[in-house]
Amino acid sequence: MKRTIRRRRLRRGIIILPSAFTMGNLFFGLYAVVAALRGDFAWAGWFIVFAATLDLLDGRVARFTRTGSAFGAELDSLTDVISFGVAPALIMILLYFTGSDWSWVIGFVYVAAVVVRLARFNVEQGGEARRHFHGLPTPTAGMILATHYPFSQTAFFQQYLGELPWPRIMVITMVLTSILMLSHIPYAKFPRIEVRTRKGISMAAFMAACTVLAILFPANFLFPALILYTLWGLLRSVFLGLLERLPERDPLLDVPETSDTAVEPRELDYHDLTHEPAPREWKENSS
């Protein structure tokens, strides 16, 4: 009896675990809003990065513990609206769009794109990406806007990029990310780490290097890396489309590839497989 009660409690704890990561995502997203309202845009950006990290972990925890559910997917999407929609848009509005009465509309356009993107994601992919994301992921779009301010405080930015018209550039960035979120461009999912093949080892080493750089030099690394990821997915799709070299099968479908030696299915006449004597009616008809 005691073992059964312990198992039930353990099961409940495992089920709650992914939702706890999601609530942590919401906590940092709301904290980013508070920090932005206080004028602390650097920490507001980092809180959104923390939220994105928890958003990455909650799905993996749910799959590892086999506790994924439709409720968890909906809860995750509602949380993402705050962390990667409202919070980044508020940072941009307070930084660049306070000089006009209607400049905040660009923030509304971005948040609306996030909401539509998440709703479409739940409908098309069941709240979980298959082989690729269908359109630019909302955490990526949110982190692009969130890490811009920390990047703007680096010595490299102030020396080489500080004279550029950044209010106009960020308007274009918000519009472009909104379009890409609603597009049909496949963006690579965070890869699984494996060391069985050379490709897997190379990818694991690359991801390890990116993680180290993100931890040691977050302000200098994250914003350029996210921009490169976004442009790489866009240019790759355009390049493959222009050369008519699209994959043979839809990369968005999670369908296992069939080998060339697969046997073509055919209809079988099961009477040929049985050794039982034919019914008397068949014998009379054949005679």
Short mmCIF file of all heavy atoms in Angstrom, two decimals, residues 153-183:
data_model
loop_
_atom_site.label_atom_id
_atom_site.label_comp_id
_atom_site.label_asym_id
_atom_site.label_seq_id
_atom_site.Cartn_x
_atom_site.Cartn_y
_atom_site.Cartn_z
N GLN A 153 25.78 47.79 -26.04
CA GLN A 153 26.64 48.34 -24.99
C GLN A 153 28.07 47.82 -25.07
O GLN A 153 28.90 48.21 -24.24
CB GLN A 153 26.05 48.00 -23.62
CG GLN A 153 24.63 48.49 -23.41
CD GLN A 153 24.48 49.98 -23.66
OE1 GLN A 153 25.14 50.79 -23.02
NE2 GLN A 153 23.61 50.36 -24.60
N THR A 154 28.36 46.95 -26.03
CA THR A 154 29.72 46.42 -26.16
C THR A 154 30.62 47.43 -26.85
O THR A 154 30.16 48.32 -27.58
CB THR A 154 29.70 45.11 -26.95
OG1 THR A 154 29.19 45.36 -28.27
CG2 THR A 154 28.83 44.07 -26.25
N ALA A 155 31.92 47.26 -26.64
CA ALA A 155 32.91 48.16 -27.26
C ALA A 155 32.90 48.02 -28.77
O ALA A 155 33.06 49.02 -29.50
CB ALA A 155 34.30 47.86 -26.70
N PHE A 156 32.71 46.80 -29.27
CA PHE A 156 32.68 46.58 -30.71
C PHE A 156 31.54 47.35 -31.36
O PHE A 156 31.71 48.01 -32.39
CB PHE A 156 32.55 45.08 -31.00
CG PHE A 156 32.38 44.77 -32.46
CD1 PHE A 156 33.48 44.67 -33.30
CD2 PHE A 156 31.10 44.56 -33.00
CE1 PHE A 156 33.32 44.38 -34.65
CE2 PHE A 156 30.94 44.26 -34.34
CZ PHE A 156 32.06 44.18 -35.17
N PHE A 157 30.37 47.28 -30.75
CA PHE A 157 29.20 47.97 -31.31
C PHE A 157 29.42 49.48 -31.30
O PHE A 157 29.17 50.16 -32.31
CB PHE A 157 27.96 47.61 -30.50
CG PHE A 157 26.70 48.27 -30.99
CD1 PHE A 157 25.85 47.61 -31.86
CD2 PHE A 157 26.34 49.55 -30.58
CE1 PHE A 157 24.69 48.21 -32.32
CE2 PHE A 157 25.18 50.16 -31.02
CZ PHE A 157 24.35 49.49 -31.90
N GLN A 158 29.86 50.01 -30.21
CA GLN A 158 30.01 51.46 -30.09
C GLN A 158 31.11 52.00 -31.00
O GLN A 158 31.04 53.15 -31.44
CB GLN A 158 30.28 51.83 -28.64
CG GLN A 158 29.11 51.53 -27.72
CD GLN A 158 29.38 51.87 -26.28
OE1 GLN A 158 30.47 52.34 -25.94
NE2 GLN A 158 28.40 51.64 -25.41
N GLN A 159 32.10 51.18 -31.31
CA GLN A 159 33.19 51.63 -32.15
C GLN A 159 32.87 51.53 -33.64
O GLN A 159 33.22 52.42 -34.42
CB GLN A 159 34.45 50.83 -31.84
CG GLN A 159 35.68 51.30 -32.64
CD GLN A 159 36.93 50.56 -32.22
OE1 GLN A 159 36.92 49.72 -31.31
NE2 GLN A 159 38.05 50.87 -32.89
N TYR A 160 32.17 50.45 -34.05
CA TYR A 160 31.98 50.19 -35.47
C TYR A 160 30.53 50.35 -35.94
O TYR A 160 30.29 50.58 -37.12
CB TYR A 160 32.45 48.78 -35.82
CG TYR A 160 33.91 48.56 -35.57
CD1 TYR A 160 34.34 47.86 -34.44
CD2 TYR A 160 34.88 49.06 -36.44
CE1 TYR A 160 35.70 47.64 -34.20
CE2 TYR A 160 36.24 48.85 -36.20
CZ TYR A 160 36.63 48.14 -35.09
OH TYR A 160 37.97 47.93 -34.86
N LEU A 161 29.56 50.19 -35.05
CA LEU A 161 28.16 50.17 -35.47
C LEU A 161 27.31 51.24 -34.83
O LEU A 161 26.13 51.37 -35.14
CB LEU A 161 27.54 48.79 -35.14
CG LEU A 161 28.27 47.57 -35.71
CD1 LEU A 161 27.63 46.29 -35.18
CD2 LEU A 161 28.23 47.59 -37.24
N GLY A 162 27.88 52.02 -33.94
CA GLY A 162 27.07 52.98 -33.18
C GLY A 162 26.46 54.09 -34.00
O GLY A 162 25.44 54.67 -33.61
N GLU A 163 27.04 54.43 -35.16
CA GLU A 163 26.55 55.54 -35.97
C GLU A 163 25.40 55.14 -36.90
O GLU A 163 24.83 56.00 -37.58
CB GLU A 163 27.69 56.11 -36.81
CG GLU A 163 28.85 56.64 -36.00
CD GLU A 163 28.44 57.78 -35.08
OE1 GLU A 163 27.53 58.55 -35.48
OE2 GLU A 163 29.01 57.91 -33.98
N LEU A 164 25.06 53.88 -36.95
CA LEU A 164 23.98 53.44 -37.84
C LEU A 164 22.62 53.87 -37.30
O LEU A 164 22.44 54.03 -36.09
CB LEU A 164 24.02 51.92 -38.00
CG LEU A 164 25.29 51.35 -38.66
CD1 LEU A 164 25.22 49.82 -38.68
CD2 LEU A 164 25.46 51.88 -40.06
N PRO A 165 21.63 54.05 -38.18
CA PRO A 165 20.28 54.47 -37.73
C PRO A 165 19.51 53.29 -37.12
O PRO A 165 18.64 52.69 -37.76
CB PRO A 165 19.62 54.95 -39.03
CG PRO A 165 20.30 54.18 -40.11
CD PRO A 165 21.72 53.98 -39.67
N TRP A 166 19.82 52.99 -35.89
CA TRP A 166 19.26 51.80 -35.26
C TRP A 166 17.75 51.83 -35.05
O TRP A 166 17.11 50.78 -35.09
CB TRP A 166 19.99 51.51 -33.95
CG TRP A 166 21.32 50.88 -34.22
CD1 TRP A 166 22.54 51.48 -34.16
CD2 TRP A 166 21.55 49.54 -34.63
NE1 TRP A 166 23.53 50.59 -34.51
CE2 TRP A 166 22.95 49.38 -34.81
CE3 TRP A 166 20.72 48.45 -34.89
CZ2 TRP A 166 23.52 48.19 -35.21
CZ3 TRP A 166 21.28 47.26 -35.28
CH2 TRP A 166 22.68 47.13 -35.44
N PRO A 167 17.11 52.96 -34.81
CA PRO A 167 15.64 52.93 -34.75
C PRO A 167 15.01 52.41 -36.02
O PRO A 167 14.09 51.58 -35.98
CB PRO A 167 15.28 54.40 -34.49
CG PRO A 167 16.46 54.95 -33.77
CD PRO A 167 17.65 54.28 -34.39
N ARG A 168 15.48 52.84 -37.18
CA ARG A 168 14.95 52.32 -38.44
C ARG A 168 15.32 50.86 -38.65
O ARG A 168 14.52 50.06 -39.14
CB ARG A 168 15.49 53.16 -39.61
CG ARG A 168 15.06 54.62 -39.57
CD ARG A 168 15.62 55.38 -40.76
NE ARG A 168 15.25 56.79 -40.72
CZ ARG A 168 15.63 57.69 -41.62
NH1 ARG A 168 16.42 57.31 -42.64
NH2 ARG A 168 15.25 58.95 -41.51
N ILE A 169 16.56 50.52 -38.26
CA ILE A 169 16.99 49.13 -38.42
C ILE A 169 16.13 48.20 -37.58
O ILE A 169 15.74 47.11 -38.02
CB ILE A 169 18.48 48.99 -38.05
CG1 ILE A 169 19.35 49.73 -39.06
CG2 ILE A 169 18.89 47.52 -37.99
CD1 ILE A 169 20.83 49.75 -38.70
N MET A 170 15.81 48.59 -36.36
CA MET A 170 15.01 47.72 -35.49
C MET A 170 13.56 47.66 -35.94
O MET A 170 12.89 46.64 -35.72
CB MET A 170 15.11 48.20 -34.04
CG MET A 170 16.52 48.08 -33.46
SD MET A 170 17.31 46.47 -33.77
CE MET A 170 16.21 45.35 -32.90
N VAL A 171 13.05 48.73 -36.56
CA VAL A 171 11.71 48.64 -37.16
C VAL A 171 11.70 47.59 -38.25
O VAL A 171 10.80 46.73 -38.31
CB VAL A 171 11.28 50.01 -37.71
CG1 VAL A 171 10.04 49.85 -38.59
CG2 VAL A 171 10.99 50.99 -36.59
N ILE A 172 12.71 47.63 -39.12
CA ILE A 172 12.80 46.63 -40.19
C ILE A 172 12.98 45.23 -39.60
O ILE A 172 12.39 44.25 -40.08
CB ILE A 172 13.98 46.98 -41.13
CG1 ILE A 172 13.71 48.30 -41.82
CG2 ILE A 172 14.20 45.87 -42.15
CD1 ILE A 172 14.89 48.81 -42.64
N THR A 173 13.76 45.13 -38.53
CA THR A 173 13.99 43.84 -37.88
C THR A 173 12.70 43.27 -37.32
O THR A 173 12.41 42.07 -37.47
CB THR A 173 15.04 43.98 -36.77
OG1 THR A 173 16.26 44.47 -37.32
CG2 THR A 173 15.30 42.65 -36.10
N MET A 174 11.91 44.11 -36.66
CA MET A 174 10.64 43.63 -36.10
C MET A 174 9.67 43.20 -37.18
O MET A 174 8.99 42.18 -37.05
CB MET A 174 10.03 44.72 -35.22
CG MET A 174 10.83 45.04 -33.98
SD MET A 174 10.05 46.27 -32.91
CE MET A 174 8.67 45.32 -32.25
N VAL A 175 9.61 43.97 -38.27
CA VAL A 175 8.72 43.60 -39.37
C VAL A 175 9.19 42.30 -40.03
O VAL A 175 8.39 41.40 -40.32
CB VAL A 175 8.63 44.73 -40.40
CG1 VAL A 175 7.85 44.28 -41.62
CG2 VAL A 175 7.99 45.96 -39.77
N LEU A 176 10.50 42.18 -40.24
CA LEU A 176 11.04 40.99 -40.89
C LEU A 176 10.84 39.75 -40.03
O LEU A 176 10.44 38.69 -40.54
CB LEU A 176 12.52 41.19 -41.19
CG LEU A 176 13.23 40.04 -41.92
CD1 LEU A 176 12.58 39.78 -43.26
CD2 LEU A 176 14.71 40.34 -42.10
N THR A 177 11.10 39.85 -38.73
CA THR A 177 10.90 38.70 -37.86
C THR A 177 9.42 38.31 -37.79
O THR A 177 9.08 37.13 -37.71
CB THR A 177 11.43 38.98 -36.45
OG1 THR A 177 10.87 40.21 -35.96
CG2 THR A 177 12.94 39.08 -36.44
N SER A 178 8.54 39.31 -37.83
CA SER A 178 7.10 39.01 -37.84
C SER A 178 6.71 38.23 -39.09
O SER A 178 5.95 37.25 -39.03
CB SER A 178 6.30 40.30 -37.76
OG SER A 178 6.59 41.02 -36.59
N ILE A 179 7.24 38.65 -40.24
CA ILE A 179 6.95 37.95 -41.49
C ILE A 179 7.52 36.54 -41.47
O ILE A 179 6.86 35.56 -41.88
CB ILE A 179 7.49 38.74 -42.69
CG1 ILE A 179 6.76 40.08 -42.81
CG2 ILE A 179 7.37 37.94 -43.98
CD1 ILE A 179 7.33 40.99 -43.87
N LEU A 180 8.75 36.40 -40.97
CA LEU A 180 9.40 35.09 -40.95
C LEU A 180 8.69 34.13 -40.00
O LEU A 180 8.64 32.92 -40.25
CB LEU A 180 10.86 35.24 -40.56
CG LEU A 180 11.76 35.93 -41.59
CD1 LEU A 180 13.18 36.08 -41.05
CD2 LEU A 180 11.76 35.16 -42.90
N MET A 181 8.15 34.64 -38.90
CA MET A 181 7.41 33.77 -37.99
C MET A 181 6.17 33.19 -38.64
O MET A 181 5.77 32.05 -38.35
CB MET A 181 7.04 34.54 -36.72
CG MET A 181 8.15 34.67 -35.71
SD MET A 181 7.60 35.32 -34.12
CE MET A 181 7.21 37.03 -34.54
N LEU A 182 5.56 33.96 -39.54
CA LEU A 182 4.34 33.51 -40.20
C LEU A 182 4.61 32.84 -41.55
O LEU A 182 3.68 32.45 -42.24
CB LEU A 182 3.39 34.69 -40.41
CG LEU A 182 2.97 35.43 -39.14
CD1 LEU A 182 2.04 36.58 -39.48
CD2 LEU A 182 2.30 34.48 -38.16
N SER A 183 5.87 32.72 -41.91
CA SER A 183 6.23 32.16 -43.21
C SER A 183 6.20 30.63 -43.15
O SER A 183 5.96 30.02 -42.10
CB SER A 183 7.62 32.64 -43.62
OG SER A 183 8.60 32.06 -42.77
#
